[in-house]
C-alpha cells in the first residue's frame, strides 16, 4: 500500500499567519527582495492608514508571467541567475498574510485577489485571477485591511528607511519621498564609532555607555535586517554579512543559527572593539568617563598598560609642579575644567585676554609699532570653560600634542610611581610638595579608564595612588645639662613670674641644652630618616605642658647675679629682649594667641612698673 505526503493548504495558511515568520515586518524585506530578483530599479511603499487602511508596495521590475508560481510554497519561477545566486525558497510572498487578510496583485494585465480570510472560513483554496485591460508595467501589491495594531506605520517607515539606506541597487521611496542611501560603514554619528570592512563583514560599530546597549548590533544580509547579534553589551551598529560569514535560518533568513560560525564571528567583533578602545587609550582620549564600563569590559588591562603614554610629571621640575598647581588653582575658579585640554584652553584664553589688553594699549601709545601675534588655530567652544560666555573663540588644543609633550611609556617598577586623577589635583595639591622633596614621578590620569588601569598596576608595576604618599614626621626634644647658673636661675625666676601672670599655677619654662631631632618616615617609598634640627631652640612638651628653652638664646648679659625677687631695669630689659620668642612659645601652652599673651603680660608689667 502506497502512502502519499499531503499538505492541508488551509492549515498551512493558518500556520504561516501565526508562527512561521519571526519578524512581523519581514514582509517588507521579502517584497523588496522579490523586486531585486525581478530586476527592478525602484520600489515604492505607500502607507494609507487613515484612508483605505492599506499598504501598497510596487516595483518596476519584470511583469508576473506565472501567477501559480507566486502561490506555490517551496517553488519559485525566478530565472536561472537568481536561482544560482540566492537559492530562493518560494515562501517570501506569504509573509504578507501576517499583516493583511485581503491582498491584490496587479502586474501586466493580470489582477489577482487573494482573500485569506474568506479562504480560511470557506475552505476554498481557489484564488481569483483576472485579465484586465489596464496594464501595469511592473508589480503592484496592495495589502488591504492592514493590521496597523500589529505593524505600526511608524515601524514600517523605519524599516523602509533601513532598506533604502543599505540596498543601493534600488531607489526606495516611502510615501513618495526617496529614502536616503548611506554607505555601509558610515555609522550614525555616535561619539565613538569605527568602521568594519573585511572578508567577514562590512559595517560600523559604536560604543555605548550602558550595558543594555547590548543586542543592538544588527546583522544584515543583502541589505535586509536579519537579527540583533546577542552577547555584545555596550555596543550598537550595523554589520552586513554573507552566506560564508554566518548561517541564517530558512525560510526568511530572520535569525542566526547558533553554531561555531557565530562564535567565531562574535570573537572577531570583540577583537575589533578591543583594538579600537585600546587605540583611544593609547592616543590619550580624555572624555571617556561615561564609557568607562564599556572600556573595562573589552580592554585587556595587562596588554594595554605598557602601550599607554601616561601623562607623567617630574616633581623635581619647577615647570611641572607649577603646571600641576596651576590646575588646582584653575579648578578652584572653575570646576568645569575636567581635562588637560580644558586646562590648556583656560590658559590660552587667559593669554588671549592679556593679548587683547596689550592690543588696546597699542592704539593709544604711538611708540609701540607692533602688537603681539594672535594665537593660531582658533575654534569655538561651549561655555563649560568660559563661565558665562556662551561660545568663545579660543586657540585649538590638540590632545596628541599634549601627550607628546608630557606622555611617558616607561614605568620603572623598582621605584614607585604615584598617580592622581585630573579632578583630584586640587584635593591632593599639598602632596606635590612631598613628591618634589623626594623627586617622585607623578602620573595624572586623564579618565576613569586610565585610573582603573593604574590601580591594577599596584602589585605588578609599583604604581600607587597619591593618597598612599604619607610623610610621617616625629619631633623629639632632649633637654640636658639642666643645672643652672645663678643668672640662669634669675631668668627662670622671671619666666615663672610671667607664667603666673598668664594664669598658670607652675612655671611652664625649663632651661637647659636643647637638642631636637626629627624622624621622617615615608613607608610607600621606603624612606626612614632621622636628623638634628639645629634651628629649633624652643620646643613645647605636649605631655607636661612645658616649654623647653635652649640656654643659647637667653640674653642674660645684664641680669643680676642673684635671685632677689625685686625687679630692676635690667630685668625689664631682659624681658623685652626675649619677649617675642617667649610669648610665641608660651602661647602654645596657654592655648591663646601670642598677641593675647603679649597684651596680658605687658598690661600687668606696666602697672607694676
Amino acid at each position: 500500500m502506497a502512502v502519499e505526503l499531503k499538505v492541508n493548504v488551509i492549515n498551512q495558511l493558518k500556520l504561516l499567519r501565526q508562527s512561521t515568520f519571526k519578524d512581523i515586518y519581514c514582509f517588507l524585506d521579502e517584497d523588496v527582495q522579490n523586486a531585486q530578483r525581478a530586476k527592478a530599479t525602484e520600489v515604492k511603499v505607500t502607507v494609507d492608514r487613515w484612508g483605505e487602511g492599506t499598504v501598497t508596495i510596487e516595483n518596476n521590475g519584470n511583469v508576473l508571467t506565472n501567477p501559480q508560481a507566486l502561490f506555490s510554497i517551496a517553488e519559485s519561477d525566478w530565472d536561472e541567475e537568481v536561482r544560482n545566486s540566492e537559492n530562493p525558497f518560494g515562501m517570501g510572498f506569504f509573509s504578507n498574510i501576517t499583516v493583511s487578510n485581503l491582498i491584490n496583485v496587479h502586474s501586466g494585465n493580470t489582477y489577482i485577489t487573494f482573500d485569506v480570510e474568506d479562504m480560511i472560513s470557506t475552505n476554498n483554496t481557489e484564488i481569483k485571477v483576472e485579465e484586465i485591460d489596464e496594464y501595469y508595467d511592473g508589480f503592484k501589491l496592495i495589502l488591504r485591511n492592514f493590521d496597523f495594531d500589529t505593524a505600526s506605520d511608524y515601524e514600517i517607515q523605519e524599516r523602509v528607511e533601513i532598506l533604502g539606506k543599505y540596498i543601493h541597487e534600488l531607489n526606495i521611496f516611502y510615501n513618495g519621498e526617496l529614502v536616503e542611501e548611506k554607505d555601509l560603514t558610515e555609522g550614525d554619528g555616535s561619539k565613538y564609532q569605527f568602521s568594519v570592512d573585511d572578508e567577514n563583514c562590512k559595517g560600523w560599530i559604536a560604543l555605548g555607555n550602558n550595558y543594555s546597549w547590548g543586542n543592538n548590533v544588527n546583522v544584515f544580509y543583502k541589505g535586509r535586517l536579519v537579527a540583533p547579534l546577542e552577547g555584545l553589551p555596550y555596543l550598537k551598529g550595523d554589520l552586513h554579512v554573507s552566506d560564508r560569514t554566518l548561517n541564517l535560518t530558512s525560510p526568511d533568513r530572520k535569525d542566526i543559527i547558533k553554531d561555531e560560525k557565530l562564535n567565531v564571528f562574535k570573537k572577531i567583533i570583540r577583537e575589533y572593539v578591543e583594538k579600537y578602545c585600546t587605540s583611544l587609550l593609547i592616543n590619550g582620549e580624555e572624555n571617556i568617563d561615561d564609557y568607562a564600563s564599556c572600556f573595562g569590559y573589552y580592554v585587556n588591562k595587562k596588554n594595554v598598560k605598557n602601550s599607554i603614554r601616561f601623562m607623567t610629571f617630574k616633581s623635581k621640575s619647577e615647570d611641572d609642579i607649577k603646571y600641576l598647581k596651576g590646575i588646582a588653582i584653575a579648578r578652584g575658579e572653575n570646576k568645569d575644567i575636567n581635562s588637560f585640554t580644558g586646562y590648556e584652553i583656560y590658559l590660552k584664553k587667559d593669554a588671549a585676554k592679556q593679548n587683547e589688553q596689550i592690543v588696546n594699549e597699542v592704539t593709544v601709545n604711538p611708540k609701540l609699532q607692533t602688537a603681539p601675534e594672535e594665537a593660531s588655530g582658533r575654534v569655538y567652544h561651549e561655555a563649560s570653560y568660559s563661565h558665562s560666555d556662551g561660545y568663545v573663540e579660543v586657540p585649538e588644543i590638540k590632545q596628541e600634542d599634549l601627550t607628546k609633550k608630557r606622555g611617558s611609556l616607561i614605568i620603572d617598577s623598582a621605584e614607585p610611581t604615584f598617580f592622581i586623577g585630573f579632578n583630584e589635583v586640587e584635593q591632593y595639591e599639598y602632596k606635590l610638595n612631598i613628591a618634589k622633596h623626594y623627586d617622585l614621578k607623578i602620573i595624572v590620569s586623564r579618565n576613569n579608564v586610565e585610573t582603573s588601569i593604574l590601580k591594577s598596576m599596584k602589585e605588578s608595576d609599583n604604581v600607587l595612588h597619591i593618597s598612599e604618599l604619607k610623610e610621617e614626621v616625629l619631633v623629639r626634644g632632649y633637654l640636658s645639662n639642666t643645672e643652672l647658673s645663678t643668672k640662669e636661675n634669675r631668668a627662670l625666676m622671671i619666666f615663672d613670674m610671667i607664667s603666673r601672670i598668664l594664669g598658670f599655677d607652675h612655671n611652664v619654662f625649663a632651661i637647659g641644652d636643647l637638642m631636637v631631632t626629627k624622624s621622617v618616615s615615608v613607608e610607600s617609598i621606603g624612606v626612614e630618616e632621622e636628623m638634628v634640627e639645629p634651628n629649633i631652640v624652643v620646643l613645647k612638651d605636649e605631655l607636661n605642658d612645658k616649654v623647653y628653652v635652649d640656654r643659647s638664646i637667653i640674653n642674660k648679659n645684664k641680669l643680676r647675679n642673684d635671685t632677689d625677687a625685686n625687679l630692676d631695669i635690667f630685668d625689664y630689659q631682659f624681658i623685652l629682649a626675649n619677649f617675642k620668642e617667649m610669648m610665641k612659645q608660651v602661647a602654645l601652652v596657654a592655648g591663646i594667641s601670642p598677641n593675647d599673651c603679649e597684651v596680658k603680660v605687658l598690661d600687668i608689667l606696666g602697672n607694676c612698673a
Side-chain angles (χ1 to χ4, degrees):
M1 177 180 176
V3 177
E4 294 181 0
L5 178 64
K6 293 186 177 182
V7 176
N8 185 310
V9 175
I10 300 302
N11 286 340
Q12 183 68 40
L13 283 177
K14 292 178 180 178
L15 180 64
L16 288 172
R17 294 186 76 184
Q18 295 170 0
S19 60
T20 301
F21 298 96
K22 180 180 178 181
D23 175 12
I24 196 65
Y25 298 96
C26 75
F27 72 94
L28 293 164
D29 297 15
E30 297 292 345
D31 292 335
V32 169
Q33 185 178 46
N34 286 341
Q36 289 175 282
R37 291 168 176 169
K39 307 297 190 295
T41 59
E42 66 178 31
V43 174
K44 297 178 180 178
V45 179
T46 305
V47 175
D48 181 13
R49 176 171 187 175
W50 307 112
E52 296 185 358
T54 61
V55 172
T56 303
I57 305 165
E58 50 190 319
N59 69 72
N60 64 349
N62 297 332
V63 171
L64 179 67
T65 58
N66 182 9
Q68 181 60 59
L70 189 63
F71 297 95
S72 297
I73 295 176
E75 292 183 16
S76 67
D77 196 38
W78 302 111
D79 61 27
E80 185 176 355
E81 179 186 350
V82 171
R83 288 198 298 271
N84 291 336
S85 63
E86 297 193 29
N87 188 28
F89 195 76
M91 282 189 64
F93 176 79
F94 289 95
S95 62
N96 293 291
I97 70 174
T98 61
V99 290
S100 172
N101 57 32
L102 179 59
I103 300 172
N104 290 126
V105 175
H106 190 187
S107 185
N109 294 112
T110 302
Y111 190 81
I112 302 172
T113 300
F114 182 23
D115 191 339
V116 181
E117 197 72 22
D118 181 70
M119 191 174 291
I120 292 174
S121 63
T122 63
N123 208 29
N124 180 5
T125 59
E126 184 178 344
I127 298 170
K128 185 178 180 181
V129 180
E130 304 174 68
E131 291 296 317
I132 61 175
D133 294 335
E134 183 183 352
Y135 185 85
Y136 185 85
D137 190 12
F139 187 93
K140 179 188 286 189
L141 182 68
I142 305 172
L143 306 180
R144 303 187 184 278
N145 301 335
F146 193 89
D147 185 2
F148 285 105
D149 291 333
T150 300
S152 73
D153 51 346
Y154 173 80
E155 298 284 354
I156 292 172
Q157 180 179 354
E158 188 176 68
R159 179 60 62 88
V160 173
E161 288 175 348
I162 291 174
L163 290 165
K165 181 168 62 174
Y166 290 139
I167 299 178
H168 296 168
E169 63 267 33
L170 288 174
N171 287 326
I172 298 180
F173 296 80
Y174 179 81
N175 283 352
E177 291 189 12
L178 179 64
V179 175
E180 180 185 3
E181 290 184 1
K182 273 192 149 185
D183 187 273
L184 302 184
T185 62
E186 184 175 343
D188 66 350
S190 293
K191 183 176 182 179
Y192 296 116
Q193 67 177 41
F194 62 94
S195 61
V196 178
D197 191 356
D198 62 19
E199 60 182 4
N200 296 297
C201 70
K202 189 171 185 176
W204 62 275
I205 294 175
L207 306 184
N209 56 12
N210 60 72
Y211 190 90
S212 62
W213 273 41
N215 301 338
N216 280 310
V217 176
N218 294 312
V219 171
F220 289 78
Y221 173 74
K222 294 187 181 300
R224 291 174 293 278
L225 179 64
V226 177
L229 195 60
E230 298 177 351
L232 294 173
Y234 299 107
L235 304 179
K236 69 173 180 175
D238 294 338
L239 299 176
H240 301 259
V241 302
S242 67
D243 292 321
R244 296 186 303 274
T245 309
L246 293 171
N247 292 322
L248 308 179
T249 58
S250 296
D252 57 353
R253 292 188 175 91
K254 283 298 174 183
D255 207 351
I256 305 168
I257 296 175
K258 295 176 174 59
D259 56 10
E260 188 58 26
K261 269 190 176 182
L262 176 60
N263 295 333
V264 171
F265 183 64
K266 288 200 291 188
K267 181 180 178 183
I268 291 171
I269 298 305
R270 290 191 190 98
E271 288 173 353
Y272 270 120
V273 176
E274 179 181 354
K275 183 178 179 180
Y276 176 68
C277 291
T278 300
S279 71
L280 289 175
L281 289 171
I282 290 174
N283 291 328
E285 187 70 21
E286 292 180 321
N287 301 314
I288 58 176
D289 283 348
D290 289 342
Y291 300 81
S293 296
C294 176
F295 279 79
Y297 188 88
Y298 287 102
V299 170
N300 187 317
K301 294 179 182 178
K302 290 183 179 179
N303 292 343
V304 77
K305 69 177 184 179
N306 294 322
S307 301
I308 299 178
R309 293 183 64 87
F310 292 109
M311 293 290 282
T312 307
F313 295 81
K314 297 176 181 178
S315 58
K316 273 292 184 183
S317 166
E318 290 291 342
D319 289 341
D320 281 11
I321 290 296
K322 182 179 178 181
Y323 188 86
L324 290 178
K325 290 193 173 185
I327 292 174
I329 294 170
R331 279 182 48 79
E333 297 178 5
N334 186 356
K335 295 294 185 186
D336 289 332
I337 300 175
N338 54 20
S339 67
F340 284 103
T341 302
Y343 178 52
E344 292 284 341
I345 289 174
Y346 171 88
L347 293 177
K348 295 290 185 181
K349 186 188 172 189
D350 187 60
K353 284 182 178 178
Q354 293 181 26
N355 284 349
E356 290 169 6
Q357 291 172 358
I358 295 173
V359 171
N360 290 336
E361 291 175 5
V362 172
T363 61
V364 297
N365 188 346
K367 293 182 180 180
L368 296 177
Q369 299 298 318
T370 58
E373 293 183 6
E374 282 194 2
S376 60
R378 294 194 164 216
V379 296
Y380 284 92
H381 77 95
E382 295 182 50
S384 56
Y385 301 121
S386 58
H387 304 283
S388 59
D389 290 346
Y391 286 85
V392 177
E393 197 175 22
V394 295
E396 183 178 9
I397 305 299
K398 294 182 179 179
Q399 178 58 34
E400 60 185 52
D401 293 341
L402 289 175
T403 303
K404 288 178 182 177
K405 185 167 68 173
R406 301 195 182 274
S408 174
L409 286 168
I410 301 171
I411 294 178
D412 182 6
S413 59
E415 294 292 333
T417 299
F418 292 86
F419 76 92
I420 182 174
F422 183 92
N423 293 338
E424 297 178 309
V425 173
E426 183 182 9
Q427 177 184 354
Y428 290 104
E429 180 189 359
Y430 69 99
K431 297 278 189 181
L432 298 178
N433 293 328
I434 303 175
K436 181 179 180 182
H437 179 78
Y438 294 104
D439 192 17
L440 303 176
K441 287 188 296 185
I442 302 292
I443 293 175
V444 180
S445 169
R446 287 164 285 207
N447 51 65
N448 290 337
V449 182
E450 279 194 2
T451 297
S452 175
I453 293 171
L454 288 165
K455 284 181 179 179
S456 72
M457 296 168 68
K458 180 174 182 178
E459 299 299 329
S460 59
D461 298 270
N462 206 9
V463 177
L464 309 175
H465 188 262
I466 200 167
S467 61
E468 297 186 57
L469 181 59
K470 298 176 181 178
E471 184 182 51
E472 296 182 1
V473 180
L474 178 62
V475 177
R476 295 185 179 92
Y478 304 91
L479 194 67
S480 60
N481 296 329
T482 54
E483 185 175 343
L484 305 180
S485 68
T486 305
K487 284 190 175 184
E488 288 174 338
N489 273 313
R490 183 163 191 81
L492 191 62
M493 178 192 74
I494 295 172
F495 288 160
D496 181 64
M497 178 188 67
I498 291 174
S499 298
R500 306 292 175 177
I501 291 173
L502 291 172
F504 292 101
D505 59 1
H506 64 284
N507 189 353
V508 298
F509 293 92
I511 300 173
D513 292 335
L514 179 64
M515 183 180 72
V516 178
T517 63
K518 182 171 73 172
S519 297
V520 180
S521 172
V522 186
E523 183 180 353
S524 55
I525 58 176
V527 169
E528 290 283 349
E529 296 179 350
E530 186 170 6
M531 61 204 77
V532 175
E533 292 288 341
N535 295 325
I536 299 179
V537 290
V538 180
L539 188 69
K540 175 188 173 184
D541 180 354
E542 293 275 4
L543 184 63
N544 299 307
D545 277 344
K546 298 280 286 186
V547 177
Y548 296 146
V549 182
D550 187 79
R551 56 169 40 92
S552 65
I553 69 164
I554 299 175
N555 185 351
K556 51 185 182 294
N557 290 337
K558 294 185 178 182
L559 281 178
R560 300 202 318 263
N561 198 21
D562 62 55
T563 56
D564 191 310
N566 295 319
L567 300 181
D568 60 18
I569 187 62
F570 297 110
D571 293 324
Y572 283 100
Q573 289 178 350
F574 168 77
I575 293 172
L576 292 176
N578 297 280
F579 189 68
K580 284 289 183 183
E581 189 62 34
M582 281 194 300
M583 294 302 99
K584 179 181 175 182
Q585 299 305 323
V586 78
L588 296 175
V589 181
I592 58 178
S593 70
N595 185 60
D596 290 340
C597 286
E598 290 177 14
V599 170
K600 194 170 184 178
V601 171
L602 289 176
D603 184 55
I604 298 295
L605 291 178
N607 290 332
C608 292

